[in-house]
Amino acid sequence: MDKVLDACGTICSGDDAAAGTVDCDAGSSPPDTETPPTTTAASPSSPSASSSEKSPQNNKKKQQYVVVKVKSANLTKNFEILGQRMDPFAVVSWLSSDNDSDDTTTTKTTKKLLSRTHTLWNAHKTPAWDYTCRGHAYNTTGGSSSERVEIALWEDGNVSSAVWMGSAVVAVDELLGMGGGTNPTPPGKESDDIVLPVIWHGKKNRAKTEQTGTVTVTTVLVEVDSSAAATKTSTSGAAATSAAGTVVKTDDVTVTRVDPSLFVSPVKRLGVSGGTAPFFALKLVNPPDGRTENHYIGKDLSRAVDEIAFYEEMLSIVNSDNEECGLRDMLKFGFEYAGVLTAPEEGVEAVAEEEDGGDDGDASSNERELLVLRNLRDGCETLRLLDLKMGEKTASAGWHGKSWSHAYRQGVMDKTTNSYVEGFRLEGFDGRPETLVTMDPLMDYDNQKSAKSLKKASRMLLQHMDGREIALHFLDLHQGPTADADANLDEVYSNAELSELVMHEIVTRLAKLGAVCNNVTVPQKWVGSSVALGYDSGALPPRSKDESAIRSTVLVNIFDWGRSELNTIDKMQHMTAEEQKDRATFWGYYKGGIERLGWTSARTYLHRFGNADQWKEVTLTIYDFDAMSKDDYMGSVVVPVEETDVTEVKLGNNKGRETDATLTYSLHYRPLPSGSRLKGTWRVVIKSAKNLPNMDDQSVSDPYCVVKALSADGQHCFEQVTRVIHNDLNPVWEETLDLPLAADADALKKALEAGKAGLSEGNLDLFHLLPRGASEGT
């Protein structure tokens, strides 16, 4: 039993985590339990304890739960459309049949989604998931033979639709060894490996079938004292003790339920790409004051089983008056969580299936269980969002179902990306600026690249960016709807003002996050957890909008709890010395990543927006973008920061000699309205270049221009780039970049002062630890 429960550790919470908690199906309520009061999404609260009394010892009833672990598959056919290596995942569903008509040949099948495994990229025909699904209530007596389990195998379409590769459907009794003449596995023990055939059939001609491989699973039957399961025993959830002494999670007691009448029904699925969990649009029927109808968004619970217990315990801690070990202030940086909503999905109907099962995954119940979370895009024209994975080590073998092989591969990635260098790496970037979009890592392979290969290559490009590069693109607003060449700056903010205000707020909040992180007295193990940084990059705000209102739209949150536990003083006292050391080690990784991210953000602000004097000179350098190697130098020129009409200048080579290549630019100062946080900006217009040398052997170079300015005192260095022009030695950019001049030279100090309380024991002056000079620019 321990083997199954250890792998199921990702769905444990509270004190149950140490005991090996199993998270059972939310739709299956143990008998003799009371339904907890519903909570409103507008004012979420922890579920109330059941008022039912425990039954006498001799009258205890046993509720049984079936837990399935999907171990691996062995496929015989390649379903990848372009013939590349497949990226398989499995979807596990519970099938219940109900024959309520006189027609005995057809039964109505209700399909309930249990879990979806993670996608194993490039695992091809031999994926090994070792994924434990949430349990489902089951009665081994009383006619449960019609219930079945379906394991559907899919090839992840990445940016296109997933491809069904076949399903294995088996009766639950047979899985448990209670049918077919096999010896049943005793309750509380994991079964031996069960190998099931995977059968594919045509969509139009279901009689055309083909075995496309096998899938290996194990099962365990957990017996729970239902009277104990009905009682809420702690803030971390209900503890129901099985005959084997195992704690089992029953969702209807421990999960905060959201009243479905608060939301418009049915809910609409939103478009997703790759292995991203499905999200659903939620609309409040009567939004309370201060919230819009789109305040929340729904995340498919079947893809968040590993997170639900963490969110529930987090909700309990945040709403409590007890500041245990400093966690409450830390968890306030998490996404707003209201509970779990059960709602029908738009366009999906329950389908009657033939009794032999074996469908292609299209037929299912239209009911969805959704985590109700804050909708980050609410009120945004275009959300620009960074997903920054924290820690120099983002995987731990044997931790929450992570296999040794996966942890090893993840460790190799950590050491070859920015995780090992700065303690964090960029995993996702929504709302990218055009400068980054044009940095296509496969631009020289147009005839060979697919959407899948492009996504993977782009992800690698992001993972290798350091903090300086990340900030450069994150704050880039010089193109698109925030380009302000024709804007009336008496009515709207300039893009330089908007990026300065956003970065000032991020520095303040990251300083606060670092402070509360250091105030947590019990080390946590938040493996692979992330920090989200974001803001609305879709429009320039009007000057009539208060500064505090703009700041309130900036996002600094912690999230991604799939492989995390909430450690407390009580849990820590029950750990071995080795376990305590392990928690301290990983908490050190996490804190190091948070502190480095805060330091990098403050450095960025110092160099970009800390110059209140004058810019001295600008170096304009043209590079040839190369995705697979270091970008090639094509030429540069140093020009003074002074009023300059459109001018064509010759570029020098890497030896300082003039070449035939030229660059055309102009430079003008633009003052900003009184009361602005910036005095003004020097506007550098990069117009075009001619006669650039070709740096590629088998193609034409892809040039872009880097604008790097140095302040008069040599203490500030500003850097920004243009977009990449593909295959052109005479590129035309016509792009304007702004060099800001601060109105308040102490703005960074004020940001750090607002958030640094408790950052360290001593009087640490972070401002004076920041690097200065041209070599430390952002």
Side-chain angles (χ1 to χ4, degrees):
M1 181 64 179
D2 291 341
K3 183 177 179 182
V4 171
L5 294 179
D6 286 346
C8 196
T10 54
I11 49 180
C12 300
S13 75
D15 295 326
D16 304 342
T21 301
V22 179
D23 186 21
C24 296
D25 175 55
S28 306
S29 180
D32 302 331
T33 64
E34 294 185 3
T35 303
T38 56
T39 63
T40 67
S43 180
S45 61
S46 298
S48 302
S50 171
S51 59
S52 61
E53 297 180 356
K54 293 184 179 179
S55 303
Q57 183 69 24
N58 56 356
N59 291 330
K60 286 184 178 179
K61 297 181 180 180
K62 298 294 183 183
Q63 173 65 59
Q64 296 174 319
Y65 292 86
V66 175
V67 179
V68 178
K69 180 197 284 186
V70 184
K71 297 189 69 175
S72 61
N74 193 335
L75 298 165
T76 58
K77 183 176 179 179
N78 190 354
F79 286 84
E80 217 291 330
I81 297 176
L82 298 178
Q84 300 175 342
R85 293 179 64 83
M86 295 188 293
D87 308 309
F89 66 89
V91 176
V92 182
S93 303
W94 189 276
L95 308 179
S96 299
S97 300
D98 180 20
N99 188 351
D100 56 359
S101 67
D102 296 333
D103 184 2
T104 59
T105 63
T106 303
T107 59
K108 182 180 179 181
T109 298
T110 301
K111 178 186 290 187
K112 188 171 187 62
L113 193 61
L114 292 184
S115 295
R116 178 206 192 277
T117 70
H118 48 283
T119 298
L120 286 182
W121 304 107
N122 291 319
H124 201 41
K125 297 181 178 181
T126 56
W129 296 285
D130 263 348
Y131 187 91
T132 303
C133 305
R134 53 182 175 148
H136 194 287
Y138 186 68
N139 186 4
T140 56
T141 61
S144 294
S145 60
S146 63
E147 295 186 277
R148 296 161 294 160
V149 170
E150 178 194 61
I151 302 99
L153 303 186
W154 295 80
E155 145 64 9
D156 198 320
N158 206 331
V159 296
S160 58
S161 299
V163 179
W164 179 62
M165 301 190 291
S167 299
V169 180
V170 59
V172 177
D173 278 352
E174 186 176 340
L175 268 181
L176 297 173
M178 296 175 181
T182 59
N183 294 322
T185 303
K189 293 195 66 176
E190 185 178 5
S191 71
D192 294 331
D193 287 354
I194 304 167
V195 181
L196 303 172
V198 176
I199 305 299
W200 174 92
H201 61 71
K203 284 190 174 182
K204 295 183 178 179
N205 182 10
R206 296 176 67 91
K208 180 183 177 181
T209 63
E210 176 185 355
Q211 180 171 344
T212 55
T214 60
V215 60
T216 301
V217 301
T218 61
T219 61
V220 62
L221 182 67
V222 181
E223 290 188 340
V224 178
D225 172 15
S226 61
S227 60
T231 305
K232 179 115 172 147
T233 60
S234 70
T235 59
S236 61
T241 307
S242 71
T246 305
V247 178
V248 177
K249 245 349 191 358
T250 55
D251 281 0
D252 278 334
V253 177
T254 61
V255 168
T256 304
R257 291 286 167 180
V258 175
D259 184 354
S261 67
L262 295 171
F263 292 94
V264 175
S265 181
V267 296
K268 183 177 181 180
R269 182 184 292 256
L270 300 174
V272 298
S273 62
T276 306
F279 282 85
F280 294 79
L282 301 181
K283 290 187 180 297
L284 286 166
V285 176
N286 295 306
D289 291 342
R291 293 183 177 178
T292 70
E293 63 177 7
N294 300 313
H295 184 81
Y296 291 106
I297 194 170
K299 182 179 181 180
D300 193 342
L301 180 58
S302 69
R303 295 290 305 278
V305 172
D306 297 346
E307 296 185 274
I308 178 61
F310 191 102
Y311 271 117
E312 284 294 328
E313 192 171 5
M314 180 180 76
L315 185 64
S316 176
I317 292 174
V318 169
N319 290 336
S320 71
D321 295 328
N322 180 25
E323 178 54 288
E324 181 179 2
C325 60
L327 274 174
R328 186 177 61 182
D329 286 341
M330 182 75 187
L331 294 175
K332 287 180 179 178
F333 278 89
F335 291 151
E336 179 186 349
Y337 165 70
V340 174
L341 171 71
T342 301
E345 178 182 352
E346 180 181 294
V348 177
E349 302 291 341
V351 180
E353 289 294 326
E354 297 298 323
E355 194 166 351
D356 62 357
D359 67 272
D360 62 0
D362 292 333
S364 66
S365 167
N366 67 344
E367 291 288 318
R368 290 288 178 262
E369 288 185 299
L370 307 174
L371 290 182
V372 180
L373 302 171
R374 179 71 170 101
N375 180 11
L376 302 184
R377 287 179 167 77
D378 178 31
C380 284
E381 294 283 342
T382 302
L383 177 64
R384 179 165 295 177
L385 185 68
L386 302 180
D387 175 357
L388 296 156
K389 195 167 289 294
M390 290 294 107
E392 66 177 75
K393 189 174 182 181
T394 62
S396 178
W399 176 252
H400 287 195
K402 195 76 168 183
S403 69
W404 290 94
S405 60
H406 292 163
Y408 174 79
R409 289 197 295 269
Q410 195 73 42
V412 172
M413 176 186 292
D414 290 340
K415 291 185 178 180
T416 57
T417 63
N418 197 52
S419 292
Y420 199 68
V421 179
E422 293 186 297
F424 60 85
R425 72 168 179 263
L426 182 58
E427 281 291 309
F429 195 141
D430 290 351
R432 303 179 190 185
E434 189 174 353
T435 53
L436 186 55
V437 172
T438 58
M439 291 183 176
D440 180 357
L442 298 180
M443 65 169 55
D444 292 330
Y445 304 92
D446 286 338
N447 296 328
Q448 302 171 356
K449 68 182 179 183
S450 63
K452 180 185 292 186
S453 61
L454 177 59
K455 182 174 182 179
K456 291 180 179 179
S458 296
R459 187 183 180 193
M460 288 183 61
L461 180 70
L462 298 181
Q463 290 172 338
H464 286 80
M465 285 185 179
D466 60 23
R468 177 192 63 83
E469 293 175 282
I470 295 170
L472 181 150
H473 293 295
F474 180 65
L475 296 172
D476 182 10
L477 295 172
H478 81 275
Q479 291 180 288
T482 52
D484 59 8
D486 301 321
N488 183 350
L489 297 186
D490 289 326
E491 296 181 357
V492 297
Y493 286 80
S494 68
N495 55 45
E497 290 175 285
L498 177 58
S499 59
E500 183 277 331
L501 190 56
V502 165
M503 201 61 201
H504 192 270
E505 182 64 19
I506 286 176
V507 169
T508 301
R509 292 202 214 169
L510 285 177
K512 178 66 174 178
L513 179 59
V516 298
C517 189
N518 276 275
N519 285 338
V520 174
T521 58
V522 177
Q524 307 294 313
K525 190 171 182 179
W526 295 350
V527 181
S529 182
S530 294
V531 168
L533 303 180
Y535 67 102
D536 186 359
S537 64
L540 295 173
R543 289 203 181 272
S544 58
K545 191 171 185 178
D546 187 73
E547 179 182 310
S548 61
I550 300 175
R551 289 180 180 272
S552 68
T553 63
V554 176
L555 301 174
V556 177
N557 294 101
I558 54 177
F559 72 106
D560 199 351
W561 309 116
R563 301 191 186 278
S564 300
E565 71 170 7
L566 271 173
N567 197 10
T568 62
I569 296 174
D570 182 62
K571 294 178 191 177
M572 196 73 170
Q573 290 174 344
H574 289 84
M575 292 181 184
T576 65
E578 183 178 352
E579 290 172 331
Q580 292 182 13
K581 182 180 179 181
D582 177 64
R583 301 312 190 271
T585 298
F586 275 89
W587 189 233
Y589 293 149
Y590 185 87
K591 288 200 303 180
I594 293 291
E595 291 171 356
R596 180 65 189 230
L597 179 61
W599 182 87
T600 299
S601 299
R603 182 188 67 170
T604 296
Y605 187 92
L606 172 69
H607 286 284
R608 295 182 75 95
F609 306 112
N611 181 20
D613 184 14
Q614 182 57 281
W615 296 104
K616 176 185 176 182
E617 62 186 25
V618 179
T619 302
L620 307 175
T621 307
I622 298 180
Y623 290 95
D624 170 29
F625 176 75
D626 289 318
M628 302 303 175
S629 60
K630 185 177 180 180
D631 294 349
D632 297 316
Y633 174 91
M634 301 180 76
S636 67
V637 62
V638 179
V639 300
V641 177
E642 60 187 17
E643 290 288 339
T644 307
D645 292 331
V646 176
T647 302
E648 185 177 27
V649 292
K650 286 187 174 293
L651 299 177
N653 59 22
N654 54 9
K655 296 181 179 179
R657 299 173 182 171
E658 282 191 356
T659 66
D660 292 333
T662 63
L663 175 69
T664 301
Y665 81 102
S666 67
L667 212 164
H668 297 283
Y669 181 74
R670 180 173 69 173
L672 291 171
S674 175
S676 171
R677 296 173 59 86
L678 301 177
K679 291 186 294 188
T681 63
W682 280 97
R683 315 212 79 195
V684 184
V685 181
I686 305 299
K687 300 186 74 66
S688 62
K690 295 180 180 178
N691 304 320
L692 295 177
N694 189 17
M695 309 304 295
D696 293 337
D697 294 332
Q698 300 181 4
S699 63
V700 180
S701 292
D702 312 302
Y704 68 97
C705 185
V706 177
V707 176
K708 192 169 186 176
L710 182 64
S711 64
D713 60 4
Q715 299 297 298
H716 305 277
C717 183
F718 174 97
E719 184 177 341
Q720 194 60 58
V721 300
T722 68
R723 71 188 190 280
V724 175
I725 305 293
H726 188 37
N727 286 345
D728 197 338
L729 299 181
N730 297 285
V732 177
W733 287 288
E734 292 291 350
E735 297 181 32
T736 303
L737 300 99
D738 287 277
L739 311 179
L741 287 175
D744 182 0
D746 294 327
L748 177 57
K749 287 184 179 180
K750 293 175 181 177
L752 296 175
E753 287 293 334
K756 78 171 187 178
L759 188 59
S760 68
E761 292 296 327
N763 295 318
L764 176 63
D765 189 347
L766 183 60
F767 179 80
H768 287 96
L769 295 180
L770 296 173
R772 294 163 171 79
S775 63
E776 297 292 346
T778 60

